[in-house]
Amino acid sequence: MKKIFLAIMALAMGVFGFASPAPAHAATCVGGDICWWQGSNFVGNGAIWPFPLEDNFCAPLSVPARSAINNSSKQLTFTNQPCGTPGSNVTVFPGTQVPNFGFDAGWAYRCLSCR
């Protein structure tokens, strides 16, 4: 049963990526959403986090991130290296906006057990 669930999740996430991103604009990043953009200051191609945030996961982003808005109740960390690899990181806390990461993030993670 667990293998079937994992296979379904892999297909749903586009083989460990996200499904096609929904367009995201700063004005449309509503309550409960985490939105990110390829450019600084919330411009360029964007995406909205498509799945509920689990407590421990790591995934590649469908659209690279350079800025983000977190209107959810959970933090999300963006990184420029595959998870578990040293690199640049920025955590976007609930109710905050980060207009420029200072790097292009290709992965996001949430790891409460890593503390």
Side-chain angles (χ1 to χ4, degrees):
M1 184 63 119
K2 186 175 181 179
K3 287 182 181 181
I4 293 171
F5 174 77
L6 292 174
I8 291 169
M9 288 303 296
L11 288 173
M13 293 178 67
V15 189
F16 300 108
F18 295 134
S20 297
H25 305 286
T28 62
C29 192
V30 298
D33 286 343
I34 296 178
C35 308
W36 69 93
W37 293 263
Q38 280 184 307
S40 299
N41 300 311
F42 320 109
V43 298
N45 289 329
I48 298 171
W49 194 265
F51 301 107
L53 289 174
E54 300 298 326
D55 285 339
N56 295 294
F57 77 90
C58 176
L61 300 175
S62 57
V63 173
R66 193 155 185 89
S67 57
I69 295 174
N70 185 346
N71 287 326
S72 79
S73 61
K74 296 185 178 183
Q75 70 188 44
L76 185 65
T77 301
F78 292 86
T79 181
N80 68 339
Q81 296 294 322
C83 300
T85 305
S88 298
N89 300 294
V90 65
T91 299
V92 184
F93 293 94
T96 64
Q97 300 180 8
V98 179
N100 188 352
F101 295 169
F103 61 89
D104 293 324
W107 291 265
Y109 67 90
R110 179 173 165 76
C111 187
L112 297 181
S113 65
C114 298
R115 295 180 185 184

